[in-house]
Amino acid sequence: MVLLVFIGGVMGGMIRLLCARSLPPLWGTFTANMIACALLAWVYSHDFSPIFWGVGVAGALSTWSTLAKEVGSLPYKVSIGYLTATVACGTGVVSIFA
């Protein structure tokens, strides 16, 4: 089980790095989080290897710490909009893929 989480975490981390390097900072984080939301919803609605895909890949792909850092560094009104958009879109993505 630990090996599955490790391998999934490596994959999720590589996807996160790709998002961070190929997109502007806020968009990279937003995209990584939306992919993680979609993946988690799909995995748990289809009961498809949640240890590997859910805990490993999606766990490493989601970026709560980066989101918190970005929200804290933005002007107040922009940060509220960014955080609201992230939560609303993440909820929407989960409802689509679940």
Side-chain angles (χ1 to χ4, degrees):
M1 206 179 305
V2 173
L3 185 59
L4 287 174
V5 173
F6 174 77
I7 294 169
V10 169
M11 286 178 57
M14 290 180 354
I15 297 167
R16 180 178 171 185
L17 180 64
L18 178 66
C19 290
R21 289 197 175 168
S22 62
L23 297 169
L26 296 179
W27 285 107
T29 304
F30 182 82
T31 302
N33 283 331
M34 294 309 110
I35 294 169
C37 286
L39 182 60
L40 278 173
W42 183 78
V43 164
Y44 284 99
S45 66
H46 292 86
D47 196 31
F48 187 74
S49 187
I51 297 297
F52 176 77
W53 291 104
V55 177
V57 178
L61 179 58
S62 61
T63 58
W64 174 252
S65 59
T66 305
L67 175 67
K69 182 189 80 136
E70 290 174 350
V71 166
S73 67
L74 293 170
Y76 179 74
K77 288 184 180 180
V78 176
S79 68
I80 294 299
Y82 178 53
L83 187 57
T84 302
T86 299
V87 172
C89 291
T91 303
V93 165
V94 167
S95 69
I96 291 168
F97 284 91

